[in-house]
Amino acid sequence: LTLIFMLQTNWKIALVVILITPVSFFVAGFIAKRTYSMFRKQSEIRGEQTALIDETISGIKVVKAFGQEENTVKRFDEVNDRLCDVNMKATFYSSITNPSTRFVNNLVYAGVTISGGLEAVLTGGITVGGLTCILSYANQYTKPFNEISGVVTELQNAIACGAKIFSLINQEKEIDVEESEN
């Protein structure tokens, strides 16, 4: 609806909004790909860390009997450091989504302002009030793209975690040594 109002107010300036807006999709898509790969790695390393903790706790007597406490702590620290590194990268990429799409929105506003200013000065085809209306419409038009890009980032995290869960569910059951002997 806002697009129709922009086109009715001044189709040339509305065209500027329409042409710049897809840049937001490219920026969000670029970030989403990076975010997903980081969230996936984060989920994998978290699983590795959980397995190490479970293995260590269940075999604590063996660890102590063979004097492996120090090696076990080193292994945990190495996995934990990798998890922290990937976590920082995932957080960074997910946190730049909104500012990046807002930057693109500011490009839209700048394009509207410049083209509207040129339109007003060169041809007198738009008034200050008309330009203000188009800026307001442009804001309403681009707002959903910001909201969607934020949701996509959260969805990337959920998909990465879900993929890890489904890979665990689909694993074949390990046979207990006690069960196989009976």
Side-chain angles (χ1 to χ4, degrees):
L1 195 58
T2 56
L3 184 59
I4 293 169
F5 289 144
M6 281 192 295
L7 289 168
Q8 287 177 343
T9 306
N10 189 303
W11 69 270
K12 293 175 190 172
I13 299 172
L15 190 63
V16 170
V17 173
I18 293 168
L19 291 175
I20 297 175
T21 301
V23 174
S24 185
F25 288 121
F26 293 118
V27 169
F30 174 80
I31 294 170
K33 287 178 187 173
R34 301 300 181 280
T35 302
Y36 177 73
S37 69
M38 290 297 124
F39 282 136
R40 195 185 77 240
K41 285 180 186 177
Q42 182 183 29
S43 182
E44 290 170 2
I45 295 171
R46 190 177 296 128
E48 184 181 340
Q49 184 183 50
T50 302
L52 177 64
I53 292 168
D54 183 52
E55 175 185 314
T56 303
I57 290 174
S58 64
I60 193 71
K61 289 179 182 178
V62 175
V63 170
K64 287 185 175 188
F66 288 99
Q68 292 297 307
E69 294 96 334
E70 194 173 311
N71 287 337
T72 303
V73 169
K74 284 180 185 178
R75 282 178 51 207
F76 177 81
D77 286 344
E78 185 269 327
V79 172
N80 197 48
D81 288 344
R82 284 190 292 129
L83 180 61
C84 286
D85 183 52
V86 170
N87 188 27
M88 291 292 283
K89 288 177 182 176
T91 303
F92 171 76
Y93 279 115
S94 66
S95 68
I96 65 171
T97 303
N98 194 313
S100 298
T101 55
R102 290 192 186 279
F103 176 75
V104 173
N105 289 349
N106 288 332
L107 291 178
V108 170
Y109 304 147
V112 167
T113 305
I114 291 169
S115 61
L118 290 173
E119 179 86 11
V121 169
L122 297 177
T123 65
I126 191 166
T127 64
V128 173
L131 184 58
T132 303
C133 283
I134 290 185
L135 281 168
S136 177
Y137 293 143
N139 183 33
Q140 291 175 359
Y141 179 74
T142 57
K143 194 172 191 174
F145 300 116
N146 287 344
E147 301 301 322
I148 290 169
S149 65
V151 169
V152 165
T153 302
E154 293 301 318
L155 188 61
Q156 295 295 330
N157 188 10
I159 290 171
C161 291
K164 182 67 177 173
I165 290 170
F166 286 121
S167 73
L168 291 173
I169 289 171
N170 293 330
Q171 280 184 345
E172 290 188 28
K173 182 182 176 191
E174 291 182 12
I175 300 172
D176 277 345
V177 175
E178 293 174 6
E179 285 181 18
S180 64
E181 291 176 354
N182 294 329

